[in-house]
Amino acid sequence: MFIAIIGTKCSGKSTVEDYLVSSKGFISIHSFRRSLNDHANHLTFSSPEEVLEHITRHWRMNFVTCDLQTLDLVEMFIKRPFFMLMSIDAPLYDRFQRYQKLSNDLDIEDFVRQDDARKFGVAEFEGRVTRNFSLNALDQHVNIRMVNDFAKLSGLHAHVESIDLLNPSHLRPDWDTYFMTLASLASQRSNCMKRRVGAILVRDKRIVATGYNGTPRHLRNCNEGGCPKCNGVVDFKSDLLECVCLHAEENALLEAGRERVGEGAVLYCNTCPCLKCTVKIIQTGVKSVVYNLTYKVDAASARLFKEAGVELRRFDPNVTSQRPSRLESHLDLDGSMFDATPKEWN
């Protein structure tokens, strides 16, 4: 694994790098600058090409650097399956206070001007004026984002631990993450005026069918008035009380048909199925349902699934990145607050 850390001035980039080296056995990679740290577990290279060659040959080892700060450098490494880009930020005033402990050569106005230059590349920063050097240009490649608003190092360290950087799913998504991401993507095709829902029907880790909610084919789209109920134009005394939109799960099941569903199929849906879809899922022989967002009849659907022997479980994409509470993070072992020294917030 090779982690490149980018971020705003005094957000804690070097602090996280040092922690990964000292506590997780990472090797620090330096290029284009002299080492700023005292630890011996680092390598220095004269060019990014040398770095790329070395870490490719030793990709099973763990490396970290703060030296890939431009778009062209990051794009050299982003194609490698072992590369991960981490972005660190912190509240502006917190960062200015940290900077003042290191140096007082900038007032708040100059600090903000340099901060804007780093984020947007709109002014001179360390002798360069270039969009290529802006954090915004790198944002599209970021894998993990961290906010370092902790008042003490132990809080930051606990947060780094909670992210579980060595978890391989950060580099390659597990199956649940993969299929749930596709379900969320499918939902973007929906034009239902009430909510967007997407579903992926899977068997043996292969996609059988996809679906998203909307009106049946040959009818007007929901957002064009095709479903009076979704558009809120139905009088409840009217006979037309049923929504005419097909749900994402229904579309996926109809697309597949019972024969293609087969045994052992798993349905991924970004929203918990309603009762109408639940009975159809049970009837077609799906063995497991994985969802993310809740719906108003979750409990009733869960009871039916349980009775039918269908597994229902909720997917939480934030399990590996949940941070400790601010109170817990900011308290020292003796309960006192910690005043970070300048060295700790590079």
Side-chain angles (χ1 to χ4, degrees):
M1 176 183 288
F2 181 36
I3 299 177
I5 303 175
I6 62 172
T8 50
K9 194 180 189 70
C10 293
S11 58
K13 302 182 294 295
S14 296
T15 307
V16 173
E17 179 186 18
D18 289 346
Y19 180 73
L20 292 178
V21 171
S22 61
S23 299
K24 298 299 179 182
F26 276 69
I27 299 173
S28 180
I29 296 291
H30 299 152
S31 63
F32 314 123
R33 66 175 172 88
R34 185 174 299 174
S35 173
L36 300 177
N37 305 308
D38 297 330
H39 52 69
N41 200 16
H42 72 268
L43 298 172
T44 302
F45 298 88
S46 60
S47 71
E49 289 79 12
E50 289 184 5
V51 175
L52 183 60
E53 179 183 358
H54 180 83
I55 63 173
T56 300
R57 284 192 283 110
H58 303 281
W59 67 272
R60 294 184 184 276
M61 301 175 67
N62 295 320
F63 303 95
V64 61
T65 188
C66 290
D67 287 358
L68 301 185
Q69 295 292 320
T70 62
L71 181 61
D72 53 352
L73 287 177
V74 168
E75 288 183 339
M76 285 184 61
F77 294 85
I78 198 70
K79 299 175 184 178
R80 295 296 195 269
F82 50 78
F83 178 78
M84 182 164 61
L85 188 63
M86 172 187 287
S87 174
I88 305 179
D89 201 356
L92 178 61
Y93 189 66
D94 288 355
R95 293 189 285 110
F96 177 65
Q97 288 184 311
R98 295 169 189 170
Y99 180 79
Q100 284 190 312
K101 294 176 182 179
L102 292 167
S103 173
N104 59 0
D105 61 342
L106 292 178
D107 58 21
I108 184 66
E109 183 176 341
D110 289 333
F111 186 86
V112 171
R113 185 179 295 109
Q114 285 197 6
D115 193 62
D116 283 345
R118 182 68 183 101
K119 287 183 177 178
F120 306 107
V122 296
E124 183 174 338
F125 182 79
E126 295 184 355
R128 283 182 279 186
V129 181
T130 171
R131 294 280 179 182
N132 183 56
F133 194 66
S134 73
L135 290 175
N136 274 10
L138 299 171
D139 188 71
Q140 60 181 316
H141 297 305
V142 172
N143 302 102
I144 294 179
R145 304 176 194 278
M146 180 187 302
V147 176
N148 176 19
D149 56 353
F150 300 99
K152 56 170 293 185
L153 280 178
S154 62
L156 175 61
H157 293 167
H159 183 39
V160 174
E161 289 288 340
S162 71
I163 295 175
D164 190 15
L165 290 172
L166 293 176
N167 189 325
S169 65
H170 288 307
L171 294 174
R172 188 186 189 205
D174 57 34
W175 288 112
D176 277 358
T177 303
Y178 176 66
F179 290 125
M180 192 59 73
T181 300
L182 293 178
S184 296
L185 180 62
S187 74
Q188 298 304 303
R189 286 286 303 164
S190 170
N191 51 42
C192 179
M193 294 298 288
K194 290 294 186 182
R195 70 172 66 213
R196 286 177 160 183
V197 183
I200 306 290
L201 187 62
V202 177
R203 188 178 66 200
D204 298 328
K205 296 184 174 59
R206 296 293 182 268
I207 296 174
V208 177
T210 67
Y212 53 87
N213 57 326
T215 52
R217 63 180 61 190
H218 306 308
L219 297 185
R220 281 187 300 165
N221 288 324
C222 184
N223 62 350
E224 296 172 337
C227 179
K229 185 174 182 180
C230 285
N231 283 272
V233 297
V234 173
D235 182 352
F236 282 97
K237 295 181 181 180
S238 167
D239 292 334
L240 189 61
L241 291 178
E242 284 294 323
C243 174
V244 299
C245 287
L246 287 166
H247 290 192
E249 305 94 317
E250 291 178 302
N251 269 325
L253 294 172
L254 288 170
E255 179 69 22
R258 183 177 175 85
E259 291 184 359
R260 290 183 62 201
V261 173
E263 295 183 0
V266 180
L267 182 72
Y268 288 85
C269 189
N270 68 331
T271 304
C272 186
C274 68
L275 287 175
K276 183 171 71 169
C277 289
T278 295
V279 295
K280 294 174 182 176
I281 291 168
I282 294 171
Q283 181 66 13
T284 52
V286 171
K287 76 163 186 178
S288 298
V289 175
V290 185
Y291 72 98
N292 180 13
L293 304 176
T294 60
Y295 190 54
K296 56 187 177 183
V297 292
D298 291 7
S301 297
R303 284 194 296 270
L304 288 180
F305 280 132
K306 182 177 181 180
E307 183 178 348
V310 176
E311 178 193 28
L312 177 68
R313 55 189 174 90
R314 186 176 182 184
F315 170 78
D316 186 353
N318 299 313
V319 166
T320 60
S321 60
Q322 290 174 342
R323 63 184 297 172
S325 68
R326 288 290 303 272
L327 178 61
E328 178 184 358
S329 300
H330 291 176
L331 290 178
D332 206 342
L333 294 178
D334 61 358
S336 61
M337 296 300 289
F338 178 86
D339 184 18
T341 60
K343 181 181 178 181
E344 293 163 335
W345 297 116
N346 293 327

